[in-house]
Amino acid sequence: MAEDGGPCVVAAVGQGGLCLIAVDAQAHALGLRPGEPLARARARIGTGIAVYPADPEADAAALERLCVWARRYTPTVAPFGAAEGGDGLFLNIAGASHLFGGEAGLIADLAERLAKNALPARLALADTPGCAFALARYGGARSRAPIVPPGGNAAVLRDLPVTALRLEPGIAASLRRLGLRRIGALAEAPRAPLARRFGQDLLTRLDQALGHRPEPLLALGEAPSFRATRGFLDPIGHQDVIVAVVRDLMGEVAPRLEAAGLGARALRLTLHRVDGHASTLDLGLSDPTRCPAQVGRLLDLRLDRLGRELDAGFGFETLRLDVTATGPIRPIQVRLVGGASAGQGIGRLADALRQRLGRRLGRPEFRESHIPERASAPRRWMPPDRAHPARRRAAEGPPCRPLILLRTGEAAQEVFSLAPDGPPQRFRWRLRLHRVAHAEGPERIAGEWWREDAPVRDYYRVEDEAGRRLWLYREGFHSANAAARWFVHGLFA
Amino acid sequence: MRSEDVVHAGAGREEALVALRARLQAPALNSVAGALPFGIADLDERLPTRGLALGSLHEIAPGAEGAEAAALGFTLALVARHLAAKPGEALLVVARGHPIPYGHGLADLGLDPGRLLLFEVETDTEVYRAVEEALRADGLAAVAGLVDAGLPLKQGRRLTLAAERTNPLLLILRPPGLDEANGAATRWRIEAAEAARDRFGALTRPRWRVRLDRCRNGRNGDWLLEWDNAAHRFDLAKTLARHAPAARAGHG
């Protein structure tokens, strides 16, 4: 909105320079319309227009935020796609309206909340998305949201222009030229010639609006089957209170999960702020659970980590807990002594660490490779029933692999060897001179030719006079012409 | 209320004092549910609990720059020894500055990689948080933290308090220098030492020069320890004679 209260418009680069893509009420009253070149608008109106550059990404993000917010009414919320202009949203309120005192109550509540947030919106309620869209866009009176009674689609749509059917601009223009200006006329026209001339899309749109053909909505996220919501008269903002409420919500969900023999594997908490902003927190669990205390604790850890990142503003007015993924809970024989089994304890630890520090627990894992740096790497920890066991047993013989493996070989300088192809007598590495007291080797490890053309490495285990044990290798075969290149690759305990 | 009973009921002043002293010492000893013995009489005798007390904090530091690998080896050898005796898993929390131990190297040292958990974090603060969290978990027999800087008193106290309930082996490995009071039960200083040799002169078991630098209610000491990775056993190194080639190299 312009600071001085004058008309304001949003412009973006279009055909032949900057064009208007959105205008506010004042600009609309002055006769400005989206699509008009900015220069012409300025010439007609004068310079008193505030012009803002378009930001489609921010628009899309704002629309998504609005969709998340609108989930308070129903889990199925779909943002407008490209055909609808991408500036609105569909709510499928089938089976949800009674929670808000019927359809009229829901629409009134929605209108009131949107108005409170200074979002001018046009609402319409109908049997089909197509009809609701047409009414909201071309329905005329703005004062009251039209509610179409069941089966009343055709009657309402009859007098609306054909553009209300979400048609491509070219098709709409051709239809107007043919004299088919109203949807009623289109519906009465013979279908076969229309399909031949304009393709199937036109009839699909018409049938969708009239309810002869279903229109699936591309809902944002999936509709979870287990959820609990709580609204507050006074907004809450304190961490302990939020955790206590979530524990209660989980307590509400738990019996339903139990009846289904399931446990929550992933949870989503949506926090609705007083000012209409909604933020979501996802909690993952390694073992399915129904335990409210465990969920509460994980959330507590997560909030600890988020700290000020989660802005409570003036407080949250509604908290909703959705179970987004479930898994079967197998009853576990609890030992009389010692409580939970070891695997469970580690699972809880993994969850707690993930919530508190945002990182995953790992375990060393082995791979089939002779190249030392490829042969082992930490891998994500998995619960015992899903884990792959580490394939290598503890060794019996003397250590032949270092305890610390450097990421890549680090070049050893000032290398001095007695024999040209023998191990070094002394070398400098990381600024320290190492005098070799004992060397064992070589252990030759060839590169993996099917991956890359890496030179052969000759590894030596070396102990220096101070007792430090290192793992060195010479790159490539010995050659009389080139100086040998030595690298330190690891440290033994 | 009981102590008063003792004082009044005791026949003499001496007797009451003895009883009171016993009561004073009792909590300190009772809180220790167990210990990890080294299996070396001379070493275990110097520790008040005849071994590394479980459920209290032990600090390990390299004796000098360049002995980091030896100190890590000693730390992990202790973990391996504990895991061989107790069920459960071990957790290693590693701060950014430290290298992650190599899987095959761990196995060579006698640690079962299937029972070791790794957790990589950025800062020391995160190490302490993760270790504290781990001390609350069931099923962990040993927790070791590798930190970038010294161990501050506040963190040391927090860890000690947290460890008292679950009684795991708790080790913190820190860089050399930076000695400060931190509430740890023992402080160990590790330096590299020449490895044991077999009769052909090949390197076999790793050895470390181990110094018990501080020990609450115990005595300090100095040992040259040898780690048997197959039997999970510490031995006192027999430093009688050096093998001929090694001796020659040492003088040359």
Side-chain angles (χ1 to χ4, degrees):
Chain A
M1 268 154 267
E3 288 83 0
D4 54 0
C8 75
V9 298
V10 177
V13 177
Q15 257 181 333
L18 284 174
C19 291
L20 308 186
I21 60 164
V23 300
D24 74 345
Q26 281 191 46
H28 193 268
L30 287 171
L32 297 180
R33 295 288 180 272
E36 193 175 0
L38 178 62
R40 202 166 79 201
R42 279 222 166 99
R44 281 195 320 160
I45 309 299
T47 49
I49 326 174
V51 181
Y52 295 90
D55 186 352
E57 281 169 20
D59 285 348
L63 182 60
E64 196 182 321
R65 277 205 301 280
L66 192 64
C67 286
V68 173
W69 172 83
R71 283 214 194 119
R72 63 188 300 125
Y73 296 105
T74 164
T76 321
V77 177
F80 278 8
E84 290 94 12
D87 54 355
L89 47 115
F90 290 118
L91 272 69
N92 181 2
I93 59 161
S97 55
H98 66 280
L99 298 172
F100 299 87
E103 292 175 346
L106 191 147
I107 284 286
D109 186 65
L110 181 56
E112 189 190 329
R113 283 181 192 273
L114 286 172
K116 264 190 200 158
N117 285 311
L119 278 171
R122 301 177 63 153
L123 307 171
L125 179 60
D127 281 358
T128 62
C131 184
F133 173 85
L135 275 175
R137 275 296 140 86
Y138 300 89
R142 298 189 63 144
S143 55
R144 213 162 49 81
I147 297 176
V148 181
N153 288 352
V156 180
L157 286 172
R158 185 174 299 139
D159 294 328
L160 295 179
V162 287
T163 39
L165 287 179
R166 298 174 281 174
L167 302 175
E168 284 169 31
I171 296 182
S174 305
L175 284 172
R176 267 199 302 278
R177 270 204 301 282
L178 292 175
L180 295 169
R181 288 166 189 282
R182 302 282 152 195
I183 294 176
L186 192 63
E188 282 156 17
R191 290 171 68 88
L194 281 178
R196 228 179 8 256
R197 172 140 190 199
F198 298 103
Q200 201 58 44
D201 274 3
L202 171 62
L203 293 180
T204 307
R205 285 300 190 193
L206 182 63
D207 289 348
Q208 282 176 346
L210 292 171
H212 299 324
R213 190 183 289 225
E215 180 181 358
L217 288 177
L218 207 62
L220 198 73
E222 71 282 19
S225 44
F226 299 99
R227 62 170 172 276
T229 313
R230 184 157 304 174
F232 311 102
L233 286 176
D234 281 328
I236 60 167
H238 202 275
Q239 179 170 338
D240 294 346
V241 182
I242 295 175
V243 171
V245 169
V246 167
R247 227 180 280 136
D248 281 3
L249 290 176
M250 191 62 203
E252 268 177 46
V253 175
R256 279 180 266 155
L257 284 168
E258 197 170 358
L262 295 172
R265 256 217 137 99
L267 294 153
R268 173 174 295 157
L269 175 68
T270 315
L271 303 124
H272 291 272
R273 220 159 62 186
V274 179
D275 58 5
H277 183 272
S279 37
T280 57
L281 292 179
D282 282 303
L283 301 175
L285 293 126
S286 56
D287 282 321
T289 187
R290 293 193 283 256
C291 171
Q294 194 186 346
V295 172
R297 196 173 125 61
L298 285 182
L299 178 72
D300 203 12
L301 293 173
R302 177 63 166 283
L303 292 174
D304 273 346
R305 172 158 69 96
L306 283 177
R308 285 172 185 278
E309 265 176 62
L310 181 71
D311 184 8
F314 293 105
F316 300 107
E317 55 169 2
T318 307
L319 254 58
R320 216 186 64 224
L321 188 70
D322 293 318
V323 179
T324 48
T326 55
I329 287 194
R330 282 181 297 278
I332 300 172
Q333 179 76 49
V334 178
R335 285 176 296 170
L336 283 175
V337 190
S341 72
Q344 239 181 341
I346 306 292
R348 287 193 183 163
L349 173 67
D351 294 340
L353 288 175
R354 200 170 139 203
Q355 295 308 329
R356 185 155 182 198
L357 297 165
R359 286 169 217 279
R360 288 172 185 278
L361 208 55
R363 205 194 266 298
E365 209 212 24
F366 303 112
R367 303 203 189 115
E368 297 292 336
S369 173
H370 291 294
I371 305 294
E373 57 265 39
R374 265 191 217 123
S376 170
R379 193 172 178 276
R380 246 178 75 187
W381 177 86
M382 299 281 242
D385 54 330
R386 286 187 291 159
H388 308 277
R391 270 191 291 271
R392 192 162 182 263
R393 284 185 343 102
E396 300 286 316
C400 62
R401 286 288 179 270
L403 185 58
I404 296 169
L405 188 80
L406 305 177
R407 226 165 270 269
T408 54
E410 292 181 10
Q413 270 102 28
E414 302 172 29
V415 181
F416 169 75
S417 326
L418 280 181
D421 58 346
Q425 284 302 107
R426 65 160 191 261
F427 59 92
R428 190 178 286 282
W429 175 64
R430 289 195 180 172
L431 302 177
R432 181 176 282 123
L433 192 68
H434 295 266
R435 288 177 196 282
V436 176
H438 179 80
E440 281 176 21
E443 178 187 351
R444 177 161 293 178
I445 297 179
E448 296 177 331
W449 53 264
W450 57 94
R451 278 176 188 267
E452 74 226 325
D453 194 18
V456 163
R457 299 175 188 169
D458 281 347
Y459 278 93
Y460 287 85
R461 275 185 284 160
V462 155
E463 187 176 79
D464 75 0
E465 285 175 3
R468 286 182 285 256
R469 288 172 284 280
L470 297 101
W471 210 34
L472 262 80
Y473 70 86
R474 188 188 57 224
E475 200 176 78
F477 297 106
H478 167 68
S479 145
N481 306 327
R485 296 175 61 206
W486 287 90
F487 296 89
V488 177
H489 202 188
L491 303 163
F492 288 91
Chain B
M1 165 196 149
R2 277 240 188 98
S3 60
E4 284 155 23
D5 291 352
V6 172
V7 173
H8 293 304
R13 195 180 134 85
E14 285 301 311
E15 213 171 307
L17 270 178
V18 168
L20 282 174
R21 281 210 186 98
R23 271 180 52 77
L24 265 179
Q25 273 179 359
L29 292 177
N30 286 348
S31 69
V32 176
L36 169 69
F38 279 81
I40 298 169
D42 177 41
L43 208 165
D44 287 335
E45 270 170 18
R46 303 204 182 196
L47 296 162
T49 47
R50 306 226 140 220
L52 275 189
L54 302 182
S56 51
L57 175 63
H58 304 282
E59 183 191 9
I60 299 169
E65 297 274 346
E68 285 85 1
L72 181 62
F74 178 72
T75 309
L76 291 172
L78 285 173
V79 171
R81 184 170 167 80
H82 189 54
L83 282 189
K86 286 264 166 70
E89 312 213 10
L91 172 71
L92 194 63
V93 185
V94 185
R96 177 47 52 114
H98 286 267
I100 301 287
Y102 182 54
H104 290 282
L106 288 169
D108 279 350
L109 202 69
L111 253 174
D112 178 4
R115 289 172 68 191
L116 184 75
L117 299 160
L118 292 173
F119 194 62
E120 263 181 280
V121 294
E122 286 289 328
T123 60
D124 279 7
T125 322
E126 290 187 349
V127 172
Y128 294 123
R129 276 188 193 164
V131 169
E132 234 183 281
E133 199 60 54
L135 291 175
R136 275 188 216 149
D138 302 316
L140 277 184
V143 183
L146 276 56
V147 296
D148 266 341
L151 174 65
L153 178 61
K154 186 176 148 201
Q155 303 290 6
R157 286 228 174 108
R158 283 187 70 121
L159 293 186
T160 308
L161 282 176
E164 269 170 8
R165 276 187 299 142
T166 47
N167 266 322
L169 175 67
L170 172 59
L171 307 169
I172 292 287
L173 175 60
R174 61 164 181 85
L178 307 159
D179 297 344
E180 44 191 326
N182 49 31
T186 60
R187 179 190 290 159
W188 300 82
R189 242 171 244 289
I190 315 299
E191 280 188 66
E194 289 173 13
R197 308 285 174 86
D198 63 7
R199 59 204 167 95
F200 304 109
L203 303 175
T204 55
R205 295 171 185 169
R207 282 179 183 168
W208 304 295
R209 215 170 289 287
V210 173
R211 205 163 100 214
L212 181 53
D213 209 25
R214 266 186 46 174
C215 177
R216 202 190 297 149
N217 302 332
R219 283 178 296 146
N220 299 350
D222 241 316
W223 299 273
L224 184 63
L225 290 189
E226 187 173 307
W227 170 243
D228 182 344
N229 56 359
H232 304 108
R233 206 176 62 200
F234 284 104
D235 287 316
L236 280 180
K238 299 170 192 68
T239 51
L240 293 179
R242 301 174 89 187
H243 191 261
R248 218 177 25 247
H251 293 301

